[in-house]
Amino acid sequence: MKFKALIAGALLASSWTGAAQAADSDPQYLSDWWHQSVNVVGSTHTRFGPQFNNDVYLEYEAFAKKDWFDFYGYADLTNFFGVGNSNANGIFDHGSPLFMEIEPRFSIDKLTGTSLAFGPFKEWYFANNYIYDMGRNASQRQNTWYMGLGTDIDTHSDIGLSLNVYAKYQWQNYEAANENSWDGYRFKVKYFVPITDLWGGKLSYIGFTNFDWGSDLGDASGRTSNSIASSHILSLNYDHWHVSTVARYFHNGGQWADGQELDFGNGPFEVKSTGWGYYLVVGYNF
């Protein structure tokens, strides 16, 4: 059985900084509220599956915040440039032609016309996190929906902070044992810290961490009921260009137990699902 390692997007590299940059210099974009970019992403040692994954791929990324609608998402054309290891099969070499993740949130405050703010909690949302890996067969395909409650935190500073907690419904999952069931929970924290003006652009630190727990997949041999993926991004943004470096820490990446030995038919290997992976992102905002 082949388990494909998931690919991540440019990881919010311009989601907060883009709006601030636009306010300062009034650049021309296709939309004044739907912010989008195309990115080239290089990744190494990502650990969403039981084996390391290295890849260079093309990505479309978008974010928006308008009235009651808050959105972030990306779509990846995996292994688009034909550069990567044997675990990174993608659009042109019999792997998954598309991997996407979207995070739409709908403001409960604005939809009901009622302020639910109290203490540090500014606004409340019906929050979603949907992940889809198109795959060419069942062993390459994932379809996951996280749904729950989100909020923005008032930090009384330029630091942005949001929290979301979800229940997960798992449809397809690379033929894993938890398919077609309610299966666990996720807590997501996102934060943005503006640092300084640098080389004519804006340097920022962006981060987010997913804590997953309570999955029945831990009952399967070699799998775990919990995992963590924590991303740490330095992003330099201009009106139309951005460059980001990303360090992402994995604990039981993809809910694979670290240190075990597996063999998918090409010889035994040791699972290294805990450790660091890295990304370099270059993108154009339009």
Side-chain angles (χ1 to χ4, degrees), residues 68-124:
W68 48 266
F69 183 56
D70 181 85
F71 178 87
Y72 172 74
Y74 62 86
D76 295 339
L77 302 180
T78 57
N79 201 25
F80 186 86
F81 299 97
V83 178
N85 61 12
S86 60
N87 305 317
N89 292 349
I91 184 171
F92 300 124
D93 52 2
H94 308 294
S96 175
L98 175 71
F99 180 88
M100 63 171 285
E101 180 175 8
I102 60 173
E103 298 179 27
R105 300 197 306 171
F106 307 97
S107 171
I108 300 172
D109 297 52
K110 291 184 172 64
L111 287 171
T112 61
T114 304
S115 175
L116 302 176
F118 67 95
F121 304 104
K122 294 192 297 183
E123 191 169 355
W124 293 88

Side-chain angles (χ1 to χ4, degrees), residues 65-232:
K65 190 172 180 65
K66 185 176 179 64
D67 299 327
W68 48 266
F69 183 56
D70 181 85
F71 178 87
Y72 172 74
Y74 62 86
D76 295 339
L77 302 180
T78 57
N79 201 25
F80 186 86
F81 299 97
V83 178
N85 61 12
S86 60
N87 305 317
N89 292 349
I91 184 171
F92 300 124
D93 52 2
H94 308 294
S96 175
L98 175 71
F99 180 88
M100 63 171 285
E101 180 175 8
I102 60 173
E103 298 179 27
R105 300 197 306 171
F106 307 97
S107 171
I108 300 172
D109 297 52
K110 291 184 172 64
L111 287 171
T112 61
T114 304
S115 175
L116 302 176
F118 67 95
F121 304 104
K122 294 192 297 183
E123 191 169 355
W124 293 88
Y125 301 86
F126 172 50
N128 302 269
N129 188 174
Y130 177 72
I131 301 169
Y132 177 67
D133 190 347
M134 182 177 290
R136 297 182 186 272
N137 54 57
S139 67
Q140 295 182 349
R141 197 167 295 134
Q142 182 194 13
N143 192 349
T144 308
W145 183 19
Y146 296 88
M147 64 199 82
L149 191 65
T151 186
D152 294 333
I153 303 298
D154 187 356
T155 64
H156 301 288
S157 70
D158 292 334
I159 297 173
L161 178 63
S162 68
L163 310 174
N164 303 284
V165 62
Y166 314 93
K168 178 179 71 173
Y169 191 82
Q170 184 67 67
W171 284 287
Q172 292 170 295
N173 189 26
Y174 311 112
E175 297 185 323
N178 63 338
E179 291 190 333
N180 299 308
S181 67
W182 289 97
D183 186 59
Y185 307 91
R186 167 171 287 185
F187 175 69
K188 180 190 292 282
V189 56
K190 296 183 181 180
Y191 37 91
F192 161 71
V193 182
I195 299 176
T196 187
D197 292 341
L198 180 67
W199 301 326
K202 293 185 178 297
L203 182 67
S204 305
Y205 166 65
I206 305 111
F208 72 87
T209 301
N210 292 328
F211 300 91
D212 294 319
W213 80 96
S215 170
D216 291 337
L217 196 56
D219 297 333
S221 177
R223 308 304 294 267
T224 66
S225 62
N226 60 81
S227 66
I228 297 172
S230 183
S231 299
H232 306 274

